[in-house]
Amino acid sequence: MGVGAISSDVATSLTNCLVNHLTVARGVTAMPSEGGVTVVVRESRVGGELYGNELVRAVLGLPTASLVASVVAESLNSPVVIETEEVRGGKDVVVKLRVVGGGP
């Protein structure tokens, strides 16, 4: 990532990383929720077919969800847990995260 790609604003960090730097999505929306964040990744270019095996996908989850969780955790300076991940409309990915720490 470039300098300044991660900021304390989750939506900005996700857009900088996933859309601008890595170009793995067309757009990102982040909505705060009780105890966490819900993120919608529009037109994800990192699909579940990366693994090619439903068992592996069930264990490891979607690559897009892992990217989202990593960026959000870094942005908030706090660990997060992926509570749910869902593909909608073939390419959009909805990820619900729970923040499990309070940061520094």
Side-chain angles (χ1 to χ4, degrees):
M1 296 309 142
V3 173
I6 301 287
S7 73
S8 61
D9 181 74
V10 171
T12 300
S13 297
L14 287 164
T15 299
N16 284 342
C17 293
L18 301 183
V19 178
N20 299 334
H21 292 284
L22 298 174
T23 64
V24 297
R26 175 88 55 194
V28 179
T29 304
M31 299 154 285
S33 57
E34 187 66 33
V37 180
T38 299
V39 177
V40 178
V41 180
R42 291 187 315 280
E43 296 185 40
S44 175
R45 295 182 181 110
V46 184
E49 71 278 354
L50 185 69
Y51 300 133
N53 180 318
E54 287 300 314
L55 178 60
V56 173
R57 180 177 167 189
V59 172
L60 296 179
L62 294 170
T64 301
S66 295
L67 288 169
V68 166
S70 296
V71 171
V72 171
E74 186 71 22
S75 178
L76 296 176
N77 196 27
S78 184
V80 299
V81 173
I82 299 171
E83 292 206 320
T84 63
E85 55 187 48
E86 173 187 355
V87 177
R88 290 187 185 161
K91 286 198 170 194
D92 293 353
V93 177
V94 179
V95 182
K96 292 184 182 180
L97 302 170
R98 180 172 40 91
V99 179
V100 294

